[in-house]
Amino acid sequence: MKTGALRTNDVDSDDVSDFTKEFLFTSGSGQLRAKGVRERISIPARDGESAQSPLQETLTRAFERARKAGQENPIAIGAIPFDVGEASCLYVPHNYEWNFGATVKTVTDSGMPALVGQSSLPDESGFKRAVEHAIVNFRHSDVRKAVLSVMRELTFASEVNVEGLLANLAKQNREGYQFRIPLPDGGDLIGVSPELLIRKQGDKITSNPLAGSAKRMVDPTADKANADRLLVSEKDHYEHSLVIEDIRSLLSPVCAELDVPEKPSLISTAALWHLSTRIEGRLAYPDTNALQLACLLHPTPAVCGFPTERARRLIRFVEPFERGLFTGMVGWTDAQGNGEWVVTIRCGTVQRQTVRLFAGAGIVEASQPDAEWAEVQTKLKTMLNACGLSA
């Protein structure tokens, strides 16, 4: 039986009326903060790209009720799981505001309690066996890529201060999309994703997929050498191309214009270099909302594999835990159809004194198990550093 991860369930009316729940989503210099739950939407996101889907119809009715209650342009904020057949974790908040040029929220105590235990699922040998299994599968099927992941569970001596952890995360990661989403079990989903799935403003869209990565180094010369190697890596460019071609094929039919650069560029976070392609377009049907577009793209080969459904079946077979919200998407959509959704990576959940962290690596036939294990450990560093720990 697989161990549960970032899962969602229905909540009762007392939870739904909670005025104290806090939400955060940052984008560039903008910081979206929301508070209180007017409604929670748990309808699964399957077929969410369609305006007639149960999710979209539920969202439309929720926005109508919020407007009648006095909100001029209500929003939905929250997360969609990796498996769109599972319950969504979306909320229409009582109030929200955008702040631009906002600084990190002041926290009197951003220190972490003492660590009393930790474990990895799978462990190193189990993850490497899964990589080997995937590579063998590639040679006997049409699956070309599968993303395999690990969960690191940390247990602290006392309850973790979520605002303090968020402050640590923001100080160490000035770029990226930071988020905090309350979970139905009383915990919080937090993280700082580097990967923009989709942004919609009017009829303009932007997507910035990442695939292929290399570790950042303290020494500038070594750091540049790692970046240069990534930029010419055949294995990483192949992995990246699978993602770009999939997104191109999905966005082309809904766009009047679509600009996809011929070659990726490099972007960096505090822990990693990434191959990045910034895709921009103009919608043929501007009434399509941001969540519809996000559902159209999700999950991309960057977090699942290629072809998508066959890769998903392989993941289910070899991963020993349910991903839940990890490698799903997190963000917001307003009643005018605008919004931003990012890929739920560089993330974890906080539930009192327990923190669960997640990281994954894209596996292709040229992958090496040792290197892929090293990659997921590097990706865990973002959240581990915020917890005051090393990988």
Side-chain angles (χ1 to χ4, degrees):
M1 180 177 179
K2 293 188 176 185
T3 301
L6 290 73
R7 300 192 66 84
T8 57
N9 299 288
D10 289 336
V11 294
D12 61 30
S13 58
D14 290 336
D15 291 322
V16 172
S17 62
D18 191 345
F19 283 83
T20 65
K21 293 185 184 297
E22 295 188 10
F23 306 80
L24 170 70
F25 184 88
T26 67
S27 173
S29 62
Q31 184 183 87
L32 172 61
R33 281 194 176 269
K35 192 167 185 177
V37 177
R38 182 180 299 279
E39 293 190 37
R40 176 172 175 252
I41 299 172
S42 59
I43 298 292
R46 181 177 285 121
D47 303 321
E49 66 275 15
S50 168
Q52 287 74 47
S53 66
L55 174 64
Q56 292 292 338
E57 291 183 343
T58 300
L59 184 65
T60 298
R61 291 193 295 269
F63 281 161
E64 288 173 354
R65 287 188 288 268
R67 279 199 182 103
K68 288 178 180 177
Q71 281 194 339
E72 182 179 349
N73 183 27
I75 68 166
I77 185 170
I80 301 293
F82 171 67
D83 182 349
V84 294
E86 294 183 1
S88 299
C89 189
L90 299 175
Y91 303 85
V92 178
H94 278 286
N95 55 73
Y96 71 92
E97 64 177 0
W98 277 99
N99 294 304
F100 292 91
T103 57
V104 177
K105 188 173 180 179
T106 301
V107 178
T108 54
D109 179 15
S110 59
M112 294 290 292
L115 181 70
V116 296
Q118 63 176 308
S119 61
S120 177
L121 186 67
D123 59 13
E124 181 175 357
S125 61
F127 180 80
K128 290 179 180 178
R129 283 196 302 272
V131 173
E132 291 168 352
H133 181 99
I135 292 170
V136 170
N137 185 279
F138 299 152
R139 294 167 183 161
H140 297 89
S141 74
D142 62 352
V143 179
R144 295 294 172 259
K145 174 184 176 180
V147 178
L148 302 182
S149 57
V150 299
M151 175 175 67
R152 179 86 69 91
E153 182 170 286
L154 310 175
T155 305
F156 293 89
S158 58
E159 188 167 335
V160 172
N161 180 333
V162 176
E163 283 291 346
L165 187 52
L166 282 169
N168 291 343
L169 200 57
K171 287 175 185 176
Q172 296 170 28
N173 300 271
R174 298 295 180 181
E175 305 297 327
Y177 303 86
Q178 190 176 8
F179 52 86
R180 176 187 184 179
I181 304 297
L183 300 176
D185 63 5
D188 288 274
L189 168 68
I190 68 168
V192 57
S193 175
E195 186 166 0
L196 175 65
L197 182 64
I198 198 76
R199 175 188 298 122
K200 177 183 182 285
Q201 183 66 44
D203 65 348
K204 301 294 193 298
I205 62 166
T206 305
S207 180
N208 193 181
L210 311 178
S213 60
K215 185 178 181 180
R216 297 295 307 274
M217 308 297 285
V218 175
D219 177 70
T221 302
D223 192 45
K224 183 178 185 303
N226 261 12
D228 290 344
R229 277 193 292 270
L230 177 62
L231 203 53
V232 298
S233 165
E234 184 176 341
K235 176 257 185 188
D236 288 285
H237 274 261
Y238 172 67
E239 181 185 342
H240 190 84
S241 70
L242 293 175
V243 179
I244 302 310
E245 290 311 310
D246 186 69
I247 291 177
R248 185 204 302 268
S249 69
L250 291 168
L251 287 181
S252 291
V254 301
C255 286
E257 300 172 7
L258 190 65
D259 178 28
V260 183
E262 289 185 9
K263 295 181 180 180
S265 57
L266 285 175
I267 68 166
S268 65
T269 67
L272 288 155
W273 289 101
H274 292 285
L275 290 180
S276 161
T277 297
R278 185 179 176 87
I279 300 170
E280 297 182 329
R282 183 172 63 84
L283 290 172
Y285 311 99
D287 288 344
T288 305
N289 68 44
L291 183 56
Q292 285 177 263
L293 294 167
C295 289
L296 175 67
L297 297 179
H298 172 68
T300 75
V303 296
C304 182
F306 185 85
T308 302
E309 190 50 47
R310 292 182 179 87
R312 199 195 323 252
R313 287 200 293 267
L314 178 58
I315 289 167
R316 287 197 192 103
F317 181 73
V318 301
E319 280 190 352
F321 63 93
E322 297 290 347
R323 290 188 180 185
L325 296 175
F326 170 58
T327 61
M329 55 187 183
V330 60
W332 63 277
T333 297
D334 66 19
Q336 296 174 354
N338 300 314
E340 286 178 293
W341 293 89
V342 302
V343 182
T344 313
I345 54 176
R346 312 297 188 272
C347 67
T349 59
V350 181
Q351 174 64 269
R352 299 180 65 83
Q353 71 270 32
T354 301
V355 177
R356 285 180 170 178
L357 310 179
F358 302 84
I363 313 302
V364 294
E365 190 171 350
S367 293
Q368 299 295 324
D370 288 346
E372 302 302 339
W373 174 255
E375 180 175 325
V376 294
Q377 299 311 302
T378 297
K379 289 177 176 175
L380 285 170
K381 283 181 63 177
T382 297
M383 293 297 296
L384 285 170
N385 288 343
C387 293
L389 304 170
S390 58

